[in-house]
Amino acid sequence: MGSLNTYAQIWKDPKANIDARVEDLLSKMTLEEKISYCGSRIPAIERLKIPSFEWYGEALHGIIGWNCTQFPQNIAMGSTWNPDLMFDVATAISNEARALKNMGQKEVMMFSPTVNMARDPRWGRNGECYSEDPFLMSEMARMYIRGMQGNDPKYTKTVTTVKHYVANNVDTGREKHHSIINKKDLYEYYFPAYKTCVVDEESTGIMTALNGLNGIPCSAHNWLVNDVLRKEWGFDGYVVADWTAVEGLEKRMNYAKSQPESAAMAIKAGVDQECFRNDKKQAPMVYALKPAIEQGLLTEKELDVSVRRLLRLRFMTGDFDDPSLNPYSKIPTSIMECDAHKKLALRAAEQAIVLLKNDNVLPLKKNIKSLAVIGPFADRCWMGIYSGFPKSKVSPFAGLKNMSSAKISYAKGCEVTKNATDDKKIAEAVALAKKSEHVILVVGNDETTSTENIDRKSLRLPGNQHKLIKAVQAVNKNIILVLVPSGPTAITWEQNTIPGIICAWPNGQEQGTALANVLFGNTNPGGKLNSTWYKSDNDLPDFNDYNIQTGRTYMYFQGKPLYPFGYGLSYSNFKIENIELSRKKISVQENLTVHVNVSNLSTIDGDEVVQVYVRDLKTSQKTPIKALKGFKRVSVPARGTKSIKIILPYEAFSYYDTKEEQFMVEEGMFEILVGNSSDNITIAKTIGVKGGIVPSIKVGQKSGYFNSEDENRYKKWDYLYKDESSMKSSEIKEGKDVAWIAYDITFVDPGFYVNTWYAELNFTSSTKKAIVETSMAGATIGSYTISDKQLILPITIPIPPEYGKPVRLKIKTLNGEVKHKSIKIIPPGNKEPFVINRVIAKSRN
């Protein structure tokens, strides 16, 4: 009896084989319980004492949660050209995810990273991905996966879900859109980053895209998921369909005749789950699976294949084991937005900044007497879409005020998009610029013009921002233009006219401090552009044209860009020289090592990014003008020289042969091009390469770029922290004399992604130029100046991490006096607004 009882509980035995544990638990589940795993909110199994579970988390560049450190947006991280830094950032993010799990607040199933290629800068989610280049994208995503999943041999720190598979680069109408792509472009451009994550880094999950590929919806695409992902690459993790994409097979794609047929199609195609989070409803796929089985469209045995994969991940994260066995259960709650993480966020933000132009105006002299900080992003810490809510955020204006003793003044100048008040705001900005020694003008675009479901209409700055720049430049030539863009921006006039231009990106919570450090020379900029910046919209092919060879990216664009891929200036001058190649000719499966020296000719320490491109000199194939195949960011001391080596594996010279359906190298001569941007090649050498086949690899094997000796593969979760003090926050507490009130708000899930909710603060009275600041759960949202006799103040509230639970909105009065009346909450969609007038708490004064 004892033996039978032990066997009956094998799923609870942490020493048992994981496959045996999965099979044991699966055998104990009813059909309904198995089906429930195919949605994001999984109900409890009371009889097995398994609590409810939410398979839904976001960690794009920080956890979407209260008091979570927010690092630079992915487009900014890509501009660091520093995979090691990406590993550090991912480690910090996953540590915070585990701390939240240890607190019982969140699970560790994360829908990230985004590795859709930035093939067109008009895509609304361009800011979520690392690059237009498949190699740079792969190397950054590689280290994100490694940092998020951790290096423990038994337990996975967080589950990564690589998205959106595949080729989702048009967001408007994406649920009905089909990406038409030939096989060569798929394998050479759209697939590589996914393959790197799956084969080399053994990512735990994949999310299929909402669009279709060549006439078949991605979430029912047998060739895409079963044939390529699972069979060809050997992926055995879980696959989740993007938001209600399985429902969309019938409702939006008209590909299935019913919901049961949609669910059966998805499971048979290798898709295990449908993303959908709602307080009252399960995912549409969950409701459709039992009818699908009853109608003979699917068998329970076929469903079991998916449920096994989902259960396996819960065992891998340690959900069913004693926490003492799991090293990640030791991660303390104190690391949330701790000092070490904020310092890392600052370092990442500094490395991401790209200096685009400098006519000897930067760095600024520290004895400046007056500085005007102007623009819709000047006093705003815009961190990009899919951001969480840290306690502290530093805007450009705040960062400069903290950095300098100069008189620093602010004017908004205009709104991001056209607004009736813009002319008045521009006049105020011009008046401020006239009486200031220098102007820092901070412009860009945000979720109003570029986000999920909204593509950019143009590469130009939206609204009246260009008008603002021209008006300010007319009265003060000492302008530094700072861009906070979601992607490449057409600023041809500005490049020809403004003496100093910086791309600062949606750069995380420390962006203001990072910008101030670069402007005043405390930090030497070293970031490089991760995409081509074009002069105008006319340089781009049709938005819906997915053929990469029609002039897309630096690899095929024949025109003259505004700024080339890989471009970025420094306060130092560097020289790349003395190239040496390890071989005169490369045989099949041999590596080539490129040795170069990098010298810093200046009196200031700085970073340079050495970039190695390959060009096929004579080929029967359509190949890129040049293609990035290696790079290294290197710090070089003033007047110093460093020798570096970059290894190019045999596959760096390959192309995809559509007839043979494999990667091959065509025998011939290749150029090795070394420089510090795609358009600034300082050294070129020619080498012969022997033709041959690049063997296919799958999970369990590794590509030529995989480095098993990389120290990042052996670090433990706590390597980021020097001591216990760095694992805590030393932030200053607010004074007791600040007046405040608080409302409790319960947000209802709208059923779709939205970045912010609108609301209105209503007052019975306010003094002139009173200033209020809003925060939720200790995380600052923003501060607002109330105009004379203004009784209604429109505000925005970030999307809450959790719906259905009361969240406290605190409103502090920083200047003047206000008397509160109520708050009006305006939900997205067609839901009715509601008013809350009960003050749940307030200060004594």
Side-chain angles (χ1 to χ4, degrees), residues 14 81 85 136 179 249 277 329 344 387 403 407 622 626 646 652 680 729 781 824 829 841-842:
W81 289 61
L85 179 62
L136 178 56
S179 306
L249 298 179
R277 185 179 66 165
S329 67
L344 177 59
S387 294
M403 188 68 61
K407 179 184 178 183
K622 176 75 172 179
K626 62 176 74 76
I646 296 173
N680 189 33
S729 176
I781 298 173
K824 182 180 181 180
K842 62 180 180 180

Side-chain angles (χ1 to χ4, degrees), residues 720-732:
L720 285 173
Y721 316 103
K722 292 182 179 179
D723 50 42
E724 286 192 14
S725 65
S726 68
M727 300 172 74
K728 300 175 182 178
S729 176
S730 58
E731 66 180 18
I732 300 172

Side-chain angles (χ1 to χ4, degrees), residues 275-296:
C275 171
F276 181 78
R277 185 179 66 165
N278 188 278
D279 293 336
K280 299 176 181 177
K281 297 179 181 179
Q282 289 275 42
M285 183 179 182
V286 171
Y287 295 113
L289 278 169
K290 191 171 183 181
I293 291 172
E294 291 171 344
Q295 294 171 26

